[in-house]
Amino acid sequence: MVQVNPDDPRYADLQMRGYNRRFVGAPGSVHVVGGTDEVVDVVNSAVRQGRRIAVRSGGHCAEGLVDNPEVDVVIDLSLMDSVSYDPAERAFAAQAGVRLGRLYHVLDMGWGVTVPGGACPEVGVGGHVTGGGHGVLSRLHGYVSDHLYGIEVVVVDDDGTARAVVATREPDDPNRDLWWAHTGGGGGNFGVVTRFWFRAPGADGTDPATLLPRRPPRHVSAAAMWQWDDFDEESFAALLNNFMDWSARNSAPDTSTAALHAEVAVLHRDSGMLMLTGRVEPSVPGGTKLLEAFFSEVTAGLTEPGMTKSEDEPWLYKVLNVPDAGEAFGLEAARLRSKVKAAYLRKPLDAEQVRTVYRYLTDVDYGYPAAGLMIAAWGGRMNALAPADTAVPQRDSIMQLSLVNSWNDQDADEKHLTWIRRFYRDLFATTGGVPVPDDRTDGSYINWPDTDLLDPEWNTSGVPWSTIYYGDNYPKLQQIKARWDPRGVFRHALSIEPPQNPRQGAP
């Protein structure tokens, strides 16, 4: 273990491990740990001294949950990056500091398998899996957390003693509730996860190559791009409605189109661009025709795209070499400031909501090219489980929507934050400015945390943040919190609270 204090020249590098430069921590010490025993030692010491703890895996948290001025001890897991097959558990073991790119690489090269995780190879497994986690293969295989077989977690008992606990999904495991809480309950809530074990649900036998989904043989995708000048409000609505109608008809768990992942991305008019993308698993029979049919249906009645492109590339190469979106706008990663707001949709946006989207994305008074909206088709195997089967409650959504904004200039924070906050508020104006769980929407995604949901200025729904993220699963998560973190050692602005002390106000 290496302890890095503020006077150490390495300290500044560790401060740069945070993705969002709106938040820069200044802890009293950062502990770069190499194994579970070292994590236990750090936690024991911090608890004895009454020091606030936070844990960093990949460093891609979009809010200041780790880089919080109240945090005095950061446990950095970046050196815990081992991936292997564990024959005793018949599962693949990955330490919590592993990044998605390394996980994909080792699983692919070693056994020809993969997990349906996210598209950014630099994201850490630790935060990604515990919040559910999804990617381009999730309509076909489910959330990455659906493939979580077990976890190792350093927890703190009521007497203040830290210890490592292993919990699995086996029905007779006395610690099974701790496993369940990490299948979508969010990171930093119950302890320090130090290891994950992955095995596909229902997988049997001892051959590692059969215990997770097979990696696709190729990365096959297509994109259609238009200029904003090709659209007025009516044709813009047609594009969104075509996409949303397709998503609504193709979201069932047994849909024949699960091999297709599709997104529509619409940046502000100043960017000049709208883009429709589709990616297909080519080993599924009829996959290529599925991709063609999707584009034919969604682009029906629209002007011809100004540009189209198709790709058929090696799978792993494409997964590991994802272009940096910020660079396309000339944004420097070292100064990246961002805000993300998300929603699960059970039904397509209505006509007034589509008008709201058009109004914000064509607002000449704002005029910023790196701000926009993305909608991804949802469902398939992500909708195969019941809401209570794992901690992820969103199991009947047809789309996931996100508003995104990134910039470099600190002096522009208020301008950009105000735009995205008002956009989200107006988009969900009929439900208090947030996507409350009802017949049309189903809350938000905890891996894109948004502390605005705590703020009554932006959430006037009367529905607490906890329900928006966790729905009816929140009371169970509270009970698990009370059992495994009775002293409230692991906490942040959006952390699970024990049942006797629910927090619904601001942090």
mmCIF file of all heavy atoms in Angstrom, residues 197-243:
data_model
loop_
_atom_site.group_PDB
_atom_site.id
_atom_site.type_symbol
_atom_site.label_atom_id
_atom_site.label_comp_id
_atom_site.label_asym_id
_atom_site.label_seq_id
_atom_site.Cartn_x
_atom_site.Cartn_y
_atom_site.Cartn_z
ATOM 1 N N TRP A 197 -17.190 -11.481 -8.963
ATOM 2 C CA TRP A 197 -17.190 -12.728 -9.718
ATOM 3 C C TRP A 197 -18.347 -12.680 -10.714
ATOM 4 O O TRP A 197 -19.479 -12.346 -10.344
ATOM 5 C CB TRP A 197 -17.377 -13.942 -8.815
ATOM 6 C CG TRP A 197 -16.160 -14.335 -8.036
ATOM 7 C CD1 TRP A 197 -15.186 -15.211 -8.402
ATOM 8 C CD2 TRP A 197 -15.792 -13.879 -6.719
ATOM 9 N NE1 TRP A 197 -14.241 -15.333 -7.411
ATOM 10 C CE2 TRP A 197 -14.588 -14.531 -6.365
ATOM 11 C CE3 TRP A 197 -16.376 -12.996 -5.805
ATOM 12 C CZ2 TRP A 197 -13.957 -14.319 -5.149
ATOM 13 C CZ3 TRP A 197 -15.749 -12.776 -4.599
ATOM 14 C CH2 TRP A 197 -14.548 -13.431 -4.276
ATOM 15 N N PHE A 198 -18.061 -13.023 -11.974
ATOM 16 C CA PHE A 198 -19.073 -12.967 -13.022
ATOM 17 C C PHE A 198 -19.356 -14.358 -13.581
ATOM 18 O O PHE A 198 -18.434 -15.119 -13.915
ATOM 19 C CB PHE A 198 -18.609 -12.060 -14.170
ATOM 20 C CG PHE A 198 -18.412 -10.626 -13.765
ATOM 21 C CD1 PHE A 198 -17.132 -10.134 -13.523
ATOM 22 C CD2 PHE A 198 -19.498 -9.771 -13.632
ATOM 23 C CE1 PHE A 198 -16.942 -8.816 -13.148
ATOM 24 C CE2 PHE A 198 -19.316 -8.452 -13.256
ATOM 25 C CZ PHE A 198 -18.034 -7.969 -13.007
ATOM 26 N N ARG A 199 -20.633 -14.669 -13.655
ATOM 27 C CA ARG A 199 -21.102 -15.877 -14.337
ATOM 28 C C ARG A 199 -22.510 -15.574 -14.843
ATOM 29 O O ARG A 199 -23.331 -14.998 -14.110
ATOM 30 C CB ARG A 199 -21.121 -17.087 -13.404
ATOM 31 C CG ARG A 199 -21.413 -18.407 -14.147
ATOM 32 C CD ARG A 199 -22.000 -19.452 -13.229
ATOM 33 N NE ARG A 199 -21.201 -19.706 -12.035
ATOM 34 C CZ ARG A 199 -21.692 -20.351 -10.976
ATOM 35 N NH1 ARG A 199 -22.971 -20.753 -10.953
ATOM 36 N NH2 ARG A 199 -20.935 -20.557 -9.920
ATOM 37 N N ALA A 200 -22.784 -15.929 -16.069
ATOM 38 C CA ALA A 200 -24.094 -15.628 -16.641
ATOM 39 C C ALA A 200 -25.195 -16.344 -15.870
ATOM 40 O O ALA A 200 -24.998 -17.469 -15.395
ATOM 41 C CB ALA A 200 -24.138 -16.033 -18.110
ATOM 42 N N PRO A 201 -26.361 -15.721 -15.726
ATOM 43 C CA PRO A 201 -27.469 -16.395 -15.056
ATOM 44 C C PRO A 201 -27.858 -17.659 -15.817
ATOM 45 O O PRO A 201 -27.990 -17.641 -17.043
ATOM 46 C CB PRO A 201 -28.593 -15.354 -15.082
ATOM 47 C CG PRO A 201 -28.201 -14.381 -16.148
ATOM 48 C CD PRO A 201 -26.722 -14.373 -16.198
ATOM 49 N N GLY A 202 -27.969 -18.748 -15.099
ATOM 50 C CA GLY A 202 -28.338 -20.008 -15.728
ATOM 51 C C GLY A 202 -27.187 -20.781 -16.325
ATOM 52 O O GLY A 202 -27.372 -21.917 -16.789
ATOM 53 N N ALA A 203 -25.978 -20.210 -16.349
ATOM 54 C CA ALA A 203 -24.827 -20.914 -16.922
ATOM 55 C C ALA A 203 -24.462 -22.119 -16.057
ATOM 56 O O ALA A 203 -24.506 -22.055 -14.829
ATOM 57 C CB ALA A 203 -23.641 -19.973 -17.040
ATOM 58 N N ASP A 204 -24.088 -23.212 -16.713
ATOM 59 C CA ASP A 204 -23.788 -24.448 -15.998
ATOM 60 C C ASP A 204 -22.487 -25.037 -16.535
ATOM 61 O O ASP A 204 -21.958 -24.595 -17.560
ATOM 62 C CB ASP A 204 -24.945 -25.440 -16.171
ATOM 63 C CG ASP A 204 -24.942 -26.516 -15.096
ATOM 64 O OD1 ASP A 204 -24.109 -26.432 -14.174
ATOM 65 O OD2 ASP A 204 -25.774 -27.438 -15.182
ATOM 66 N N GLY A 205 -21.984 -26.015 -15.836
ATOM 67 C CA GLY A 205 -20.783 -26.691 -16.290
ATOM 68 C C GLY A 205 -19.518 -26.066 -15.756
ATOM 69 O O GLY A 205 -19.541 -25.129 -14.943
ATOM 70 N N THR A 206 -18.382 -26.575 -16.218
ATOM 71 C CA THR A 206 -17.080 -26.117 -15.725
ATOM 72 C C THR A 206 -16.208 -25.526 -16.822
ATOM 73 O O THR A 206 -15.083 -25.096 -16.547
ATOM 74 C CB THR A 206 -16.322 -27.287 -15.078
ATOM 75 O OG1 THR A 206 -16.161 -28.342 -16.045
ATOM 76 C CG2 THR A 206 -17.083 -27.823 -13.871
ATOM 77 N N ASP A 207 -16.698 -25.493 -18.051
ATOM 78 C CA ASP A 207 -15.926 -24.910 -19.147
ATOM 79 C C ASP A 207 -16.063 -23.395 -19.088
ATOM 80 O O ASP A 207 -17.158 -22.860 -19.298
ATOM 81 C CB ASP A 207 -16.446 -25.436 -20.483
ATOM 82 C CG ASP A 207 -15.669 -24.894 -21.671
ATOM 83 O OD1 ASP A 207 -14.742 -24.075 -21.466
ATOM 84 O OD2 ASP A 207 -15.999 -25.262 -22.819
ATOM 85 N N PRO A 208 -14.978 -22.666 -18.804
ATOM 86 C CA PRO A 208 -15.088 -21.201 -18.686
ATOM 87 C C PRO A 208 -15.677 -20.532 -19.919
ATOM 88 O O PRO A 208 -16.366 -19.518 -19.812
ATOM 89 C CB PRO A 208 -13.635 -20.758 -18.450
ATOM 90 C CG PRO A 208 -12.943 -21.959 -17.921
ATOM 91 C CD PRO A 208 -13.602 -23.135 -18.562
ATOM 92 N N ALA A 209 -15.438 -21.100 -21.084
ATOM 93 C CA ALA A 209 -15.906 -20.491 -22.331
ATOM 94 C C ALA A 209 -17.419 -20.540 -22.484
ATOM 95 O O ALA A 209 -17.964 -19.936 -23.408
ATOM 96 C CB ALA A 209 -15.244 -21.177 -23.524
ATOM 97 N N THR A 210 -18.105 -21.236 -21.577
ATOM 98 C CA THR A 210 -19.572 -21.321 -21.638
ATOM 99 C C THR A 210 -20.258 -20.570 -20.506
ATOM 100 O O THR A 210 -21.483 -20.606 -20.401
ATOM 101 C CB THR A 210 -20.026 -22.789 -21.604
ATOM 102 O OG1 THR A 210 -19.707 -23.356 -20.310
ATOM 103 C CG2 THR A 210 -19.350 -23.597 -22.693
ATOM 104 N N LEU A 211 -19.488 -19.887 -19.665
ATOM 105 C CA LEU A 211 -20.065 -19.307 -18.444
ATOM 106 C C LEU A 211 -20.384 -17.818 -18.554
ATOM 107 O O LEU A 211 -20.953 -17.240 -17.628
ATOM 108 C CB LEU A 211 -19.113 -19.558 -17.265
ATOM 109 C CG LEU A 211 -18.851 -21.041 -16.952
ATOM 110 C CD1 LEU A 211 -17.892 -21.169 -15.780
ATOM 111 C CD2 LEU A 211 -20.158 -21.776 -16.656
ATOM 112 N N LEU A 212 -20.012 -17.215 -19.665
ATOM 113 C CA LEU A 212 -20.394 -15.833 -19.965
ATOM 114 C C LEU A 212 -20.764 -15.765 -21.444
ATOM 115 O O LEU A 212 -20.435 -16.682 -22.223
ATOM 116 C CB LEU A 212 -19.240 -14.864 -19.663
ATOM 117 C CG LEU A 212 -18.999 -14.489 -18.205
ATOM 118 C CD1 LEU A 212 -17.755 -13.605 -18.081
ATOM 119 C CD2 LEU A 212 -20.202 -13.776 -17.593
ATOM 120 N N PRO A 213 -21.434 -14.704 -21.891
ATOM 121 C CA PRO A 213 -21.774 -14.599 -23.314
ATOM 122 C C PRO A 213 -20.536 -14.647 -24.197
ATOM 123 O O PRO A 213 -19.483 -14.099 -23.864
ATOM 124 C CB PRO A 213 -22.465 -13.232 -23.404
ATOM 125 C CG PRO A 213 -23.001 -12.975 -22.035
ATOM 126 C CD PRO A 213 -22.002 -13.590 -21.100
ATOM 127 N N ARG A 214 -20.676 -15.298 -25.339
ATOM 128 C CA ARG A 214 -19.597 -15.314 -26.306
ATOM 129 C C ARG A 214 -19.396 -13.921 -26.876
ATOM 130 O O ARG A 214 -20.357 -13.187 -27.120
ATOM 131 C CB ARG A 214 -19.910 -16.279 -27.458
ATOM 132 C CG ARG A 214 -20.018 -17.739 -27.030
ATOM 133 C CD ARG A 214 -18.724 -18.284 -26.467
ATOM 134 N NE ARG A 214 -17.625 -18.266 -27.432
ATOM 135 C CZ ARG A 214 -16.361 -18.594 -27.141
ATOM 136 N NH1 ARG A 214 -16.025 -18.919 -25.898
ATOM 137 N NH2 ARG A 214 -15.439 -18.561 -28.078
ATOM 138 N N ARG A 215 -18.169 -13.547 -27.077
ATOM 139 C CA ARG A 215 -17.894 -12.243 -27.697
ATOM 140 C C ARG A 215 -18.398 -12.270 -29.133
ATOM 141 O O ARG A 215 -18.321 -13.301 -29.819
ATOM 142 C CB ARG A 215 -16.412 -11.920 -27.619
ATOM 143 C CG ARG A 215 -15.501 -13.003 -28.174
ATOM 144 C CD ARG A 215 -15.095 -12.778 -29.581
ATOM 145 N NE ARG A 215 -14.022 -11.830 -29.675
ATOM 146 C CZ ARG A 215 -13.593 -11.315 -30.808
ATOM 147 N NH1 ARG A 215 -14.152 -11.688 -31.959
ATOM 148 N NH2 ARG A 215 -12.610 -10.456 -30.836
ATOM 149 N N PRO A 216 -18.943 -11.159 -29.641
ATOM 150 C CA PRO A 216 -19.379 -11.132 -31.040
ATOM 151 C C PRO A 216 -18.207 -11.357 -31.980
ATOM 152 O O PRO A 216 -17.067 -10.994 -31.669
ATOM 153 C CB PRO A 216 -19.959 -9.724 -31.202
ATOM 154 C CG PRO A 216 -20.335 -9.306 -29.820
ATOM 155 C CD PRO A 216 -19.292 -9.928 -28.930
ATOM 156 N N PRO A 217 -18.450 -11.958 -33.158
ATOM 157 C CA PRO A 217 -17.353 -12.199 -34.097
ATOM 158 C C PRO A 217 -16.807 -10.931 -34.740
ATOM 159 O O PRO A 217 -15.635 -10.875 -35.113
ATOM 160 C CB PRO A 217 -17.988 -13.113 -35.152
ATOM 161 C CG PRO A 217 -19.451 -12.835 -35.062
ATOM 162 C CD PRO A 217 -19.722 -12.520 -33.626
ATOM 163 N N ARG A 218 -17.661 -9.909 -34.866
ATOM 164 C CA ARG A 218 -17.259 -8.647 -35.474
ATOM 165 C C ARG A 218 -18.017 -7.505 -34.794
ATOM 166 O O ARG A 218 -18.991 -7.723 -34.071
ATOM 167 C CB ARG A 218 -17.576 -8.617 -36.972
ATOM 168 C CG ARG A 218 -16.994 -9.735 -37.785
ATOM 169 C CD ARG A 218 -15.528 -9.568 -38.052
ATOM 170 N NE ARG A 218 -15.235 -8.402 -38.895
ATOM 171 C CZ ARG A 218 -13.997 -8.014 -39.198
ATOM 172 N NH1 ARG A 218 -12.952 -8.674 -38.738
ATOM 173 N NH2 ARG A 218 -13.795 -6.967 -39.976
ATOM 174 N N HIS A 219 -17.568 -6.286 -35.037
ATOM 175 C CA HIS A 219 -18.296 -5.092 -34.600
ATOM 176 C C HIS A 219 -18.928 -4.481 -35.843
ATOM 177 O O HIS A 219 -18.249 -3.867 -36.672
ATOM 178 C CB HIS A 219 -17.358 -4.101 -33.933
ATOM 179 C CG HIS A 219 -18.059 -2.954 -33.263
ATOM 180 N ND1 HIS A 219 -18.580 -1.890 -33.961
ATOM 181 C CD2 HIS A 219 -18.339 -2.720 -31.951
ATOM 182 C CE1 HIS A 219 -19.144 -1.042 -33.116
ATOM 183 N NE2 HIS A 219 -19.009 -1.522 -31.902
ATOM 184 N N VAL A 220 -20.230 -4.674 -35.993
ATOM 185 C CA VAL A 220 -20.950 -4.224 -37.179
ATOM 186 C C VAL A 220 -21.900 -3.104 -36.782
ATOM 187 O O VAL A 220 -22.739 -3.271 -35.883
ATOM 188 C CB VAL A 220 -21.735 -5.383 -37.824
ATOM 189 C CG1 VAL A 220 -22.553 -4.882 -39.016
ATOM 190 C CG2 VAL A 220 -20.774 -6.488 -38.263
ATOM 191 N N SER A 221 -21.757 -1.960 -37.420
ATOM 192 C CA SER A 221 -22.585 -0.813 -37.080
ATOM 193 C C SER A 221 -22.849 0.031 -38.314
ATOM 194 O O SER A 221 -22.198 -0.126 -39.347
ATOM 195 C CB SER A 221 -21.922 0.044 -35.996
ATOM 196 O OG SER A 221 -20.715 0.606 -36.481
ATOM 197 N N ALA A 222 -23.811 0.932 -38.182
ATOM 198 C CA ALA A 222 -24.117 1.876 -39.254
ATOM 199 C C ALA A 222 -24.592 3.168 -38.619
ATOM 200 O O ALA A 222 -25.078 3.183 -37.478
ATOM 201 C CB ALA A 222 -25.180 1.314 -40.192
ATOM 202 N N ALA A 223 -24.431 4.261 -39.343
ATOM 203 C CA ALA A 223 -24.855 5.570 -38.850
ATOM 204 C C ALA A 223 -25.384 6.404 -40.000
ATOM 205 O O ALA A 223 -24.913 6.294 -41.135
ATOM 206 C CB ALA A 223 -23.694 6.294 -38.165
ATOM 207 N N ALA A 224 -26.391 7.206 -39.692
ATOM 208 C CA ALA A 224 -26.922 8.186 -40.637
ATOM 209 C C ALA A 224 -26.840 9.549 -39.976
ATOM 210 O O ALA A 224 -27.225 9.703 -38.801
ATOM 211 C CB ALA A 224 -28.367 7.859 -41.008
ATOM 212 N N MET A 225 -26.326 10.545 -40.690
ATOM 213 C CA MET A 225 -26.131 11.880 -40.129
ATOM 214 C C MET A 225 -26.778 12.926 -41.027
ATOM 215 O O MET A 225 -26.703 12.842 -42.251
ATOM 216 C CB MET A 225 -24.641 12.172 -39.962
ATOM 217 C CG MET A 225 -24.001 11.374 -38.830
ATOM 218 S SD MET A 225 -22.202 11.192 -39.001
ATOM 219 C CE MET A 225 -22.120 9.792 -40.122
ATOM 220 N N TRP A 226 -27.398 13.890 -40.382
ATOM 221 C CA TRP A 226 -28.024 14.999 -41.080
ATOM 222 C C TRP A 226 -27.488 16.320 -40.539
ATOM 223 O O TRP A 226 -26.999 16.388 -39.401
ATOM 224 C CB TRP A 226 -29.537 15.016 -40.875
ATOM 225 C CG TRP A 226 -30.300 13.858 -41.411
ATOM 226 C CD1 TRP A 226 -30.932 13.768 -42.625
ATOM 227 C CD2 TRP A 226 -30.582 12.621 -40.735
ATOM 228 N NE1 TRP A 226 -31.577 12.559 -42.746
ATOM 229 C CE2 TRP A 226 -31.378 11.833 -41.605
ATOM 230 C CE3 TRP A 226 -30.231 12.101 -39.494
ATOM 231 C CZ2 TRP A 226 -31.836 10.578 -41.269
ATOM 232 C CZ3 TRP A 226 -30.678 10.830 -39.150
ATOM 233 C CH2 TRP A 226 -31.465 10.086 -40.036
ATOM 234 N N GLN A 227 -27.625 17.360 -41.315
ATOM 235 C CA GLN A 227 -27.376 18.711 -40.850
ATOM 236 C C GLN A 227 -28.682 19.291 -40.309
ATOM 237 O O GLN A 227 -29.772 18.990 -40.802
ATOM 238 C CB GLN A 227 -26.857 19.581 -41.999
ATOM 239 C CG GLN A 227 -25.486 19.172 -42.506
ATOM 240 C CD GLN A 227 -24.407 19.305 -41.449
ATOM 241 O OE1 GLN A 227 -24.310 20.337 -40.781
ATOM 242 N NE2 GLN A 227 -23.583 18.282 -41.301
ATOM 243 N N TRP A 228 -28.567 20.123 -39.300
ATOM 244 C CA TRP A 228 -29.757 20.770 -38.748
ATOM 245 C C TRP A 228 -30.506 21.565 -39.817
ATOM 246 O O TRP A 228 -31.729 21.716 -39.753
ATOM 247 C CB TRP A 228 -29.365 21.691 -37.588
ATOM 248 C CG TRP A 228 -29.572 21.090 -36.232
ATOM 249 C CD1 TRP A 228 -28.615 20.654 -35.372
ATOM 250 C CD2 TRP A 228 -30.822 20.866 -35.579
ATOM 251 N NE1 TRP A 228 -29.178 20.174 -34.215
ATOM 252 C CE2 TRP A 228 -30.541 20.303 -34.309
ATOM 253 C CE3 TRP A 228 -32.150 21.093 -35.924
ATOM 254 C CZ2 TRP A 228 -31.532 19.959 -33.400
ATOM 255 C CZ3 TRP A 228 -33.149 20.739 -35.021
ATOM 256 C CH2 TRP A 228 -32.844 20.187 -33.784
ATOM 257 N N ASP A 229 -29.802 22.070 -40.805
ATOM 258 C CA ASP A 229 -30.454 22.850 -41.856
ATOM 259 C C ASP A 229 -31.465 22.022 -42.637
ATOM 260 O O ASP A 229 -32.342 22.575 -43.316
ATOM 261 C CB ASP A 229 -29.408 23.407 -42.826
ATOM 262 C CG ASP A 229 -28.552 24.497 -42.185
ATOM 263 O OD1 ASP A 229 -28.974 25.033 -41.138
ATOM 264 O OD2 ASP A 229 -27.469 24.796 -42.719
ATOM 265 N N ASP A 230 -31.360 20.683 -42.528
ATOM 266 C CA ASP A 230 -32.296 19.810 -43.231
ATOM 267 C C ASP A 230 -33.608 19.625 -42.471
ATOM 268 O O ASP A 230 -34.517 18.961 -42.976
ATOM 269 C CB ASP A 230 -31.660 18.426 -43.446
ATOM 270 C CG ASP A 230 -30.438 18.485 -44.341
ATOM 271 O OD1 ASP A 230 -30.388 19.386 -45.211
ATOM 272 O OD2 ASP A 230 -29.536 17.652 -44.164
ATOM 273 N N PHE A 231 -33.713 20.197 -41.255
ATOM 274 C CA PHE A 231 -34.870 19.925 -40.413
ATOM 275 C C PHE A 231 -35.577 21.207 -40.000
ATOM 276 O O PHE A 231 -34.941 22.215 -39.684
ATOM 277 C CB PHE A 231 -34.436 19.184 -39.135
ATOM 278 C CG PHE A 231 -34.103 17.740 -39.358
ATOM 279 C CD1 PHE A 231 -32.838 17.356 -39.787
ATOM 280 C CD2 PHE A 231 -35.052 16.754 -39.149
ATOM 281 C CE1 PHE A 231 -32.529 16.036 -40.002
ATOM 282 C CE2 PHE A 231 -34.753 15.419 -39.356
ATOM 283 C CZ PHE A 231 -33.493 15.058 -39.792
ATOM 284 N N ASP A 232 -36.898 21.127 -39.989
ATOM 285 C CA ASP A 232 -37.717 22.105 -39.290
ATOM 286 C C ASP A 232 -38.364 21.370 -38.118
ATOM 287 O O ASP A 232 -38.072 20.181 -37.865
ATOM 288 C CB ASP A 232 -38.755 22.737 -40.223
ATOM 289 C CG ASP A 232 -39.674 21.701 -40.875
ATOM 290 O OD1 ASP A 232 -39.725 20.528 -40.409
ATOM 291 O OD2 ASP A 232 -40.360 22.065 -41.851
ATOM 292 N N GLU A 233 -39.242 22.023 -37.386
ATOM 293 C CA GLU A 233 -39.814 21.391 -36.194
ATOM 294 C C GLU A 233 -40.610 20.139 -36.546
ATOM 295 O O GLU A 233 -40.575 19.142 -35.819
ATOM 296 C CB GLU A 233 -40.698 22.389 -35.440
ATOM 297 C CG GLU A 233 -41.196 21.851 -34.114
ATOM 298 C CD GLU A 233 -41.819 22.919 -33.226
ATOM 299 O OE1 GLU A 233 -41.825 24.098 -33.643
ATOM 300 O OE2 GLU A 233 -42.288 22.583 -32.123
ATOM 301 N N GLU A 234 -41.300 20.161 -37.665
ATOM 302 C CA GLU A 234 -42.122 19.013 -38.044
ATOM 303 C C GLU A 234 -41.269 17.796 -38.400
ATOM 304 O O GLU A 234 -41.531 16.674 -37.939
ATOM 305 C CB GLU A 234 -43.019 19.381 -39.228
ATOM 306 C CG GLU A 234 -43.938 18.251 -39.666
ATOM 307 C CD GLU A 234 -44.830 18.654 -40.821
ATOM 308 O OE1 GLU A 234 -44.782 19.830 -41.243
ATOM 309 O OE2 GLU A 234 -45.590 17.789 -41.312
ATOM 310 N N SER A 235 -40.241 17.988 -39.217
ATOM 311 C CA SER A 235 -39.401 16.857 -39.604
ATOM 312 C C SER A 235 -38.550 16.367 -38.436
ATOM 313 O O SER A 235 -38.258 15.167 -38.324
ATOM 314 C CB SER A 235 -38.518 17.224 -40.795
ATOM 315 O OG SER A 235 -37.741 18.374 -40.514
ATOM 316 N N PHE A 236 -38.162 17.291 -37.538
ATOM 317 C CA PHE A 236 -37.441 16.872 -36.333
ATOM 318 C C PHE A 236 -38.318 15.964 -35.488
ATOM 319 O O PHE A 236 -37.873 14.913 -35.010
ATOM 320 C CB PHE A 236 -37.017 18.095 -35.530
ATOM 321 C CG PHE A 236 -36.368 17.759 -34.211
ATOM 322 C CD1 PHE A 236 -35.032 17.379 -34.165
ATOM 323 C CD2 PHE A 236 -37.083 17.804 -33.029
ATOM 324 C CE1 PHE A 236 -34.425 17.056 -32.963
ATOM 325 C CE2 PHE A 236 -36.482 17.482 -31.820
ATOM 326 C CZ PHE A 236 -35.154 17.107 -31.787
ATOM 327 N N ALA A 237 -39.575 16.347 -35.314
ATOM 328 C CA ALA A 237 -40.506 15.510 -34.553
ATOM 329 C C ALA A 237 -40.678 14.150 -35.215
ATOM 330 O O ALA A 237 -40.798 13.122 -34.533
ATOM 331 C CB ALA A 237 -41.845 16.223 -34.418
ATOM 332 N N ALA A 238 -40.687 14.126 -36.549
ATOM 333 C CA ALA A 238 -40.840 12.861 -37.256
ATOM 334 C C ALA A 238 -39.676 11.917 -36.957
ATOM 335 O O ALA A 238 -39.871 10.708 -36.744
ATOM 336 C CB ALA A 238 -40.953 13.112 -38.749
ATOM 337 N N LEU A 239 -38.446 12.448 -36.943
ATOM 338 C CA LEU A 239 -37.280 11.619 -36.630
ATOM 339 C C LEU A 239 -37.401 11.023 -35.236
ATOM 340 O O LEU A 239 -37.247 9.809 -35.044
ATOM 341 C CB LEU A 239 -36.000 12.435 -36.748
ATOM 342 C CG LEU A 239 -34.712 11.748 -36.247
ATOM 343 C CD1 LEU A 239 -34.423 10.488 -37.036
ATOM 344 C CD2 LEU A 239 -33.536 12.716 -36.297
ATOM 345 N N LEU A 240 -37.670 11.875 -34.229
ATOM 346 C CA LEU A 240 -37.782 11.379 -32.868
ATOM 347 C C LEU A 240 -38.924 10.387 -32.727
ATOM 348 O O LEU A 240 -38.779 9.328 -32.092
ATOM 349 C CB LEU A 240 -37.966 12.543 -31.886
ATOM 350 C CG LEU A 240 -36.739 12.887 -31.037
ATOM 351 C CD1 LEU A 240 -35.553 13.229 -31.900
ATOM 352 C CD2 LEU A 240 -37.056 14.008 -30.060
ATOM 353 N N ASN A 241 -40.071 10.696 -33.328
ATOM 354 C CA ASN A 241 -41.227 9.810 -33.193
ATOM 355 C C ASN A 241 -40.989 8.470 -33.884
ATOM 356 O O ASN A 241 -41.396 7.424 -33.364
ATOM 357 C CB ASN A 241 -42.479 10.485 -33.749
ATOM 358 C CG ASN A 241 -42.989 11.584 -32.839
ATOM 359 O OD1 ASN A 241 -42.849 11.506 -31.618
ATOM 360 N ND2 ASN A 241 -43.578 12.626 -33.403
ATOM 361 N N ASN A 242 -40.354 8.492 -35.049
ATOM 362 C CA ASN A 242 -40.036 7.229 -35.709
ATOM 363 C C ASN A 242 -39.155 6.354 -34.830
ATOM 364 O O ASN A 242 -39.371 5.143 -34.688
ATOM 365 C CB ASN A 242 -39.321 7.489 -37.036
ATOM 366 C CG ASN A 242 -40.230 8.020 -38.117
ATOM 367 O OD1 ASN A 242 -41.447 8.072 -37.951
ATOM 368 N ND2 ASN A 242 -39.638 8.426 -39.235
ATOM 369 N N PHE A 243 -38.124 6.970 -34.237
ATOM 370 C CA PHE A 243 -37.222 6.216 -33.376
ATOM 371 C C PHE A 243 -37.959 5.702 -32.142
ATOM 372 O O PHE A 243 -37.806 4.532 -31.743
ATOM 373 C CB PHE A 243 -36.043 7.086 -32.957
ATOM 374 C CG PHE A 243 -35.074 6.383 -32.050
ATOM 375 C CD1 PHE A 243 -34.036 5.629 -32.585
ATOM 376 C CD2 PHE A 243 -35.190 6.473 -30.671
ATOM 377 C CE1 PHE A 243 -33.128 4.970 -31.750
ATOM 378 C CE2 PHE A 243 -34.297 5.817 -29.834
ATOM 379 C CZ PHE A 243 -33.266 5.059 -30.377
#
